[in-house]
Amino acid sequence: MKKAKASPSHPLDALVRTERIPHIWCPGCGIGTAFSACLMALHTSGLDLDKTVMVSGIGCSGRAAGYTRLDSYHTTHGRAIPFATGMKLAKPELQVIVFSGDGDLFAIGGNHIIHAARRNIDLTVLCVNNLNYGMTGGQVAATTPTLAKTTTTPRGNPEQPFNLPLLVYAAGATYVARWTILHTRDLTQSVQEALHHKGFAFIEVLAPCPTGYGRRNKERPLDTLKLYQERTLIKNGANPAEAFLDFERGVVLGKFVEEQRPTCIEMYDRTCRLPDSAAG
Amino acid sequence: MKPAVLTGEHFMTGDVACAEGALAAGCRFFAGYPITPATEIAEHMSHRLPDVGGTYIQMEDEIAAMAAVLGASCAGVKSMTATSGPGFSLMMENIGLGVCTETPCVVVNVQRAGPSTGLPTLGAQGDMMQARWGSHGHYEIIALAPASPQDIFYQTITAFNLSEKYRVPVLIMSDEVVGHLSERVVIPEPTAIRTFSRRRPKGRKDRFKPFCPGPDGVAPMADAGDGYRVHVTGLTHDERGYPVMTADCHAEMIARITGKIRRNLADIIRTESYRLDDADVAIVSYGVSSRSSMAAVDEARQEGIKVGLLRLITVWPFAEEAVAHLSRTVRALFTVEINLGQVHLEVERCAKGRVPCHLVGHAGGTVIAPERIVQAIKDHL
Ligand SMILES: Cc1ncc(C[n+]2csc(CCOP(=O)(O)OP(=O)(O)O)c2C)c(N)n1
Ligand code: SF4
Ligand SMILES: [Mg+2]
């Protein structure tokens, strides 16, 4: 015991609010793995972590901000991105990461994410996609596959889900990737790239929610991981239009987009501010 | 850079004067969404902010605007948004986040007649109760009511100062008439403008508890990026900012965020008295209606009725003591407001049945004519 106290037991301990552990995540939940990959990327990024901020919305995934030993803001459901936008614009030297869930970012917050992508505001957005609303007990989401069972689609989901990479790309995101929690090394590397990317960077992380989604769709945590292993195909540079999420047909993973376009702040400074010489 | 304080004499609308007041107070971030009759505030800020080292952004809706304002304020920059009824409704959830996380900011509501889309181009004072408790949960908030362009210039500075001092969103409850009225506005020298900024923490960064209040009941606030590694949440939290899901912690937190306001009422509540000293009858009013009321006081006095006016500059928290005091010294109280009785309910509450309380109001769309107020007083005396 004493020894464990004297030296941090894990390299990421410095980045975790260890006094807040145990966390709320269920056994078999994928959020923790996505979170660790994010912290590992931060740890090795070389960024000034005092100037790095994590913003979350509401949901199981949104609890990430509360476990991170960074300046961390746990906001309202769906509003992490506009909150982060204000923060980044007000203090551009901050490195701002948004870590939240699929419901938070694409249903209630869907309007904000498309506009943030359009502006190419310099944020790193990690979306844990567990195909449902985990926190509220497994209701249908904008990402739930057609015919999947949830507590509010007891006979199956009649709607079609979003293709998240395609959506953010069409809106203007300049870095777009998708991984699963089984692909931690790729994911960690992708987060690092996204952190150093100038502009709006988006990473979708597929993660099991055994409690909310798995249980009702006869998927045990291991079954989900098996799907991640057997029914995925890494295809860097793939057209996001190919990224429709359908495990029956196979799911494309990889870095789909990495482009350069002036950021929101660069464009504002260039367009709206007086050149220094004209100021007076 | 251009000067932030436009010292001199101007002719400007209330909306523009509000924007200039914000700049003079040190506001350097504005997130907005166009809506009549508040749009001119956003337009003026979009034009002025980049020249004084600030940033303007038009967000995708008012929910986003309010969220962005909180984010900017957490980064340490004085921030504001401006809207009208429909947008004010959309901002409510994040105003609550601002209250719970004790994030300073200023929200201007240039009121128009509602409910719903209502009368977009015509004024009202129908959002006063929404200002009080429009977000869910029990909390205290500060709301000011300007009566003219000159007034809103100063009140916007006051709003920023109070919001920074007490770490609370401050609402400026303007209205269409004040917003669009052009009048003389005198802007003083920068040195004559008192501005206040939130207290920042000192001492060991690893020991800092972001919600541990100082002797004044308000905790110092660290900017994002200052190395304090704070956690800020809209969940019920303890002094470290960590969520604690118990009734006890909740009671403590609510006591803290309401107590810092309730214990400082004398500093927060501003009122103005007009010819009240020898008054038999008192009007309680605010904003543009206080101007109608002032004219009514003079008219009534010409007819031999001794009327005075208590003008509420701070509407929330309510001037309970001032109204209770009036109810002991006059024969009747009249509330004048452009709604069918909102602040009037508060006047009745504080009068505790000691004197008759009457409302002079209507649903919205026009100001209240002074003659109507005089007539109402005559009818009831
Ligand atoms: C305005 C509002 N509506 C609804 C809720 C309830 N709510 C909390 S979390 C959540 C869904 C979260 O889903 P997701 O973002 O996918 O996160 P997950 O729990 O799956 O990680 C909802 C609907 C809320 N907190 N606020
Ligand atoms: S409900 Fe689902 S998403 Fe939430 S912690 Fe449990 S497994 Fe994870
Ligand atoms: Mg989810």
Side-chain angles (χ1 to χ4, degrees):
Chain A
M1 283 303 276
K2 263 188 183 163
K3 248 188 185 168
K5 253 193 174 173
S7 62
S9 52
H10 192 275
L12 293 182
D13 273 3
L15 269 171
V16 177
R17 296 187 190 272
T18 42
E19 66 276 28
R20 291 215 57 222
I21 304 300
H23 54 65
I24 63 153
W25 296 319
C26 308
C29 176
I31 298 171
T33 311
F35 182 59
S36 306
C38 176
L39 294 189
M40 186 51 87
L42 280 166
H43 178 66
T44 50
S45 66
L47 293 170
D48 178 354
L49 296 180
D50 275 344
K51 299 241 174 284
T52 305
V53 180
M54 185 179 283
V55 182
S56 288
I58 303 295
C60 296
S61 311
R63 290 300 179 100
Y67 299 128
T68 314
R69 196 177 296 291
L70 294 172
D71 282 322
S72 52
Y73 296 85
H74 181 224
T75 61
T76 42
H77 192 26
R79 318 307 169 193
I81 285 190
F83 184 97
T85 297
M87 187 165 260
K88 178 73 186 175
L89 287 172
K91 198 167 181 180
E93 73 260 35
L94 295 176
Q95 178 83 37
V96 184
I97 301 154
V98 173
F99 191 110
S100 222
D102 52 296
D104 188 77
L105 290 168
F106 283 93
I108 191 166
N111 195 26
H112 308 310
I113 201 160
I114 57 175
H115 285 275
R118 175 181 63 79
R119 295 184 182 109
N120 200 29
I121 176 118
D122 202 355
L123 301 177
T124 302
V125 179
L126 267 84
C127 173
V128 176
N129 183 2
N130 53 17
L131 311 182
N132 81 131
Y133 289 175
M135 172 135 279
T136 41
Q139 295 78 26
V140 72
T143 46
T144 306
T146 309
L147 301 182
K149 295 218 164 75
T150 71
T151 59
T152 48
T153 54
R155 295 179 181 165
N157 178 19
E159 299 179 14
Q160 176 181 295
F162 275 141
N163 171 346
L164 304 185
L166 178 61
L167 181 59
V168 293
Y169 177 60
T174 47
Y175 183 101
V176 182
R178 171 198 277 157
W179 299 103
T180 80
I181 58 144
L182 207 58
H183 300 78
T184 43
R185 213 169 309 152
D186 300 288
L187 173 60
T188 306
Q189 196 196 329
S190 196
V191 177
Q192 273 191 12
E193 285 177 8
L195 288 169
H196 291 290
H197 176 78
K198 256 177 31 163
F200 188 86
F202 173 79
I203 303 172
E204 175 183 7
V205 188
L206 298 175
C209 167
T211 310
Y213 185 84
R215 204 150 49 104
R216 294 183 183 86
N217 292 284
K218 301 202 175 70
E219 251 181 62
R220 283 161 307 170
L222 272 179
D223 300 333
T224 314
L225 295 183
K226 238 182 179 166
L227 284 179
Y228 290 173
Q229 187 178 30
E230 293 170 2
R231 300 280 179 80
T232 58
L233 175 69
I234 297 177
K235 208 171 153 195
N236 291 315
N239 183 337
E242 293 174 39
F244 191 81
L245 211 148
D246 180 352
F247 281 104
E248 309 250 303
R249 282 189 302 172
V251 167
V252 190
L253 308 177
K255 174 168 67 183
F256 304 139
V257 177
E258 191 172 21
E259 297 171 356
Q260 293 305 323
R261 176 158 72 85
T263 67
C264 174
I265 292 176
E266 285 169 344
M267 286 306 289
Y268 187 78
D269 288 348
R270 209 183 288 169
T271 316
C272 307
R273 294 195 196 281
L274 292 172
D276 282 342
S277 56
Chain B
M1 298 267 257
K2 288 193 169 170
V5 182
L6 296 185
T7 305
E9 230 185 277
H10 308 265
F11 201 66
M12 55 174 66
T13 63
D15 279 353
V16 170
C18 174
E20 287 299 335
L23 296 170
C27 171
R28 291 297 178 269
F29 182 84
F30 184 101
Y33 190 83
I35 186 165
T36 306
T39 304
E40 291 88 339
I41 301 177
E43 287 173 343
H44 196 70
M45 289 302 253
S46 76
H47 152 75
R48 287 272 283 139
L49 270 172
D51 292 351
V52 300
T55 303
Y56 166 89
I57 187 165
Q58 182 170 311
M59 295 300 285
E60 49 276 12
D61 59 30
E62 290 88 345
I63 302 174
M66 190 62 221
V69 160
L70 295 178
S73 180
C74 286
V77 176
K78 290 186 186 177
S79 304
M80 178 168 102
T81 184
T83 187
S84 190
F88 197 51
S89 292
L90 287 181
M91 287 178 184
M92 281 301 151
E93 189 190 8
N94 283 327
I95 288 176
L97 179 65
V99 169
C100 190
T101 58
E102 304 185 55
T103 304
C105 59
V106 173
V107 178
V108 186
N109 178 358
V110 189
Q111 295 171 88
R112 60 194 229 185
S116 192
T117 311
L119 295 174
T121 61
L122 298 174
Q125 296 177 308
D127 306 347
M128 300 311 295
M129 277 296 172
Q130 185 182 23
R132 176 66 187 91
W133 264 322
S135 198
H136 53 283
H138 192 102
Y139 60 93
E140 290 289 336
I141 201 149
I142 299 175
L144 310 178
S148 69
Q150 180 71 71
D151 197 27
I152 201 171
F153 174 82
Y154 279 115
Q155 282 199 23
T156 307
I157 297 171
T158 304
F160 272 99
N161 290 348
L162 289 173
S163 112
E164 293 282 319
K165 188 168 179 185
Y166 295 107
R167 289 190 57 180
V168 66
V170 175
L171 313 176
I172 299 179
M173 300 301 287
S174 180
D175 68 86
E176 186 276 334
V177 179
V178 171
H180 284 163
L181 188 69
S182 284
E183 281 183 343
R184 197 175 85 111
V185 174
V186 180
I187 299 183
E189 294 285 340
T191 49
I193 295 174
R194 280 191 37 223
T195 63
F196 188 93
S197 294
R198 65 193 77 168
R199 257 185 322 118
R200 259 71 177 194
K202 298 187 202 83
R204 277 186 61 169
K205 294 191 170 176
D206 57 335
R207 297 240 178 107
F208 176 57
K209 290 197 188 134
F211 296 92
C212 181
D216 57 351
V218 185
M221 182 168 170
D223 299 352
D226 275 0
Y228 287 88
R229 310 256 182 128
V230 294
H231 181 58
V232 174
T233 176
L235 284 169
T236 292
H237 48 269
D238 62 16
E239 293 184 338
R240 296 171 301 174
Y242 291 176
V244 179
M245 300 295 98
T246 66
D248 283 347
C249 183
H250 191 67
E252 239 172 71
M253 183 186 82
I254 298 299
R256 191 170 69 238
I257 63 176
T258 57
K260 68 184 178 185
I261 306 291
R262 301 301 310 175
R263 277 196 302 276
N264 290 293
L265 295 180
D267 182 47
I268 295 168
I269 295 178
R270 284 131 220 257
T271 61
E272 243 171 43
S273 299
Y274 180 65
R275 304 183 82 169
L276 265 182
D277 286 345
D278 62 342
D280 289 329
V281 171
I283 298 172
V284 179
S285 190
Y286 56 91
V288 71
S289 297
S290 67
R291 294 177 73 159
S292 310
S293 302
M294 203 178 268
V297 167
D298 294 341
E299 265 180 49
R301 280 186 177 258
Q302 271 174 12
E303 299 189 30
I305 315 168
K306 286 186 181 167
V307 182
L309 165 68
L310 178 72
R311 177 188 167 219
L312 308 175
I313 296 172
T314 310
V315 176
W316 307 120
F318 193 65
E320 291 166 348
E321 273 187 25
V323 173
H325 173 75
L326 269 186
S327 72
R328 293 191 188 93
T329 57
V330 297
R331 287 188 1 225
L333 286 171
F334 288 80
T335 308
V336 179
E337 56 182 342
I338 311 175
N339 60 53
L340 297 180
Q342 294 191 12
V343 167
H344 175 57
L345 298 173
E346 286 292 276
V347 172
E348 279 186 330
R349 177 174 72 83
C350 298
K352 289 207 160 68
R354 282 182 284 256
V355 284
C357 297
H358 304 285
L359 167 72
V360 184
H362 59 227
T366 60
V367 294
I368 295 171
E371 307 79 67
R372 235 196 96 201
I373 304 170
V374 176
Q375 193 56 52
I377 293 171
K378 284 190 197 160
D379 289 350
H380 286 291
L381 283 184

